[in-house]
Amino acid sequence: MSGTSGSRVGKVEAAAVAAGRMGQRKLAAGSRVAMRLWAAQQPSEGEPEVAREYETVGYAVSGRARLRAEDQTIELGPGDSWVVPAGVSHTYEILEPFTAVEATSPPAQEADRDAPPS
């Protein structure tokens, strides 16, 4: 379900969830917001920092991660939520297998906005 708008209600079946190139699972998406799941991401030092065209809000389901955004470092654990404004350079270091749900606005998957950094 991508680009749903107006009064149309839709559902994304778990079996139909597409995987992105960075390991994210693309969940429901509307015309102004999209959700994605990062399931059991394994420990890593993180990718180089990148600034995205979209705002991200997230919720940590399990595990631990460290969000580095410009001059800030934020520890994330189960039950924590966060915001990364559009245009802010950031990266995530995964400390323990980490599962999180994020919403992006505008939808990250449109126009390949969530492609891996080059």
Side-chain angles (χ1 to χ4, degrees):
M1 179 177 84
S2 181
T4 298
S5 62
S7 61
R8 183 165 182 230
V9 175
K11 174 183 174 181
V12 175
E13 297 284 341
V17 173
R21 293 183 282 171
M22 296 183 297
Q24 75 275 38
R25 302 216 25 177
K26 298 175 180 182
L27 305 176
S31 60
R32 291 183 274 175
V33 67
M35 289 177 41
R36 59 187 178 187
L37 172 68
W38 300 90
Q41 297 296 296
Q42 294 304 302
S44 72
E45 293 181 13
E47 300 291 327
E49 286 192 14
V50 63
R52 301 292 189 174
E53 299 175 25
Y54 50 82
E55 177 177 58
T56 301
V57 295
Y59 177 80
V61 176
S62 63
R64 290 184 337 107
R66 184 174 291 130
L67 167 59
R68 292 191 183 123
E70 296 178 345
D71 63 346
Q72 293 181 286
T73 300
I74 299 168
E75 301 288 327
L76 301 171
D80 292 338
S81 57
W82 65 94
V83 175
V84 178
V88 171
S89 185
H90 67 284
T91 189
Y92 298 88
E93 177 184 357
I94 308 301
L95 306 173
E96 296 175 359
F98 188 64
T99 297
V101 175
E102 290 183 327
T104 60
S105 180
Q109 63 246 38
E110 283 184 10
D112 211 21
R113 287 186 187 105
D114 67 348
S118 349

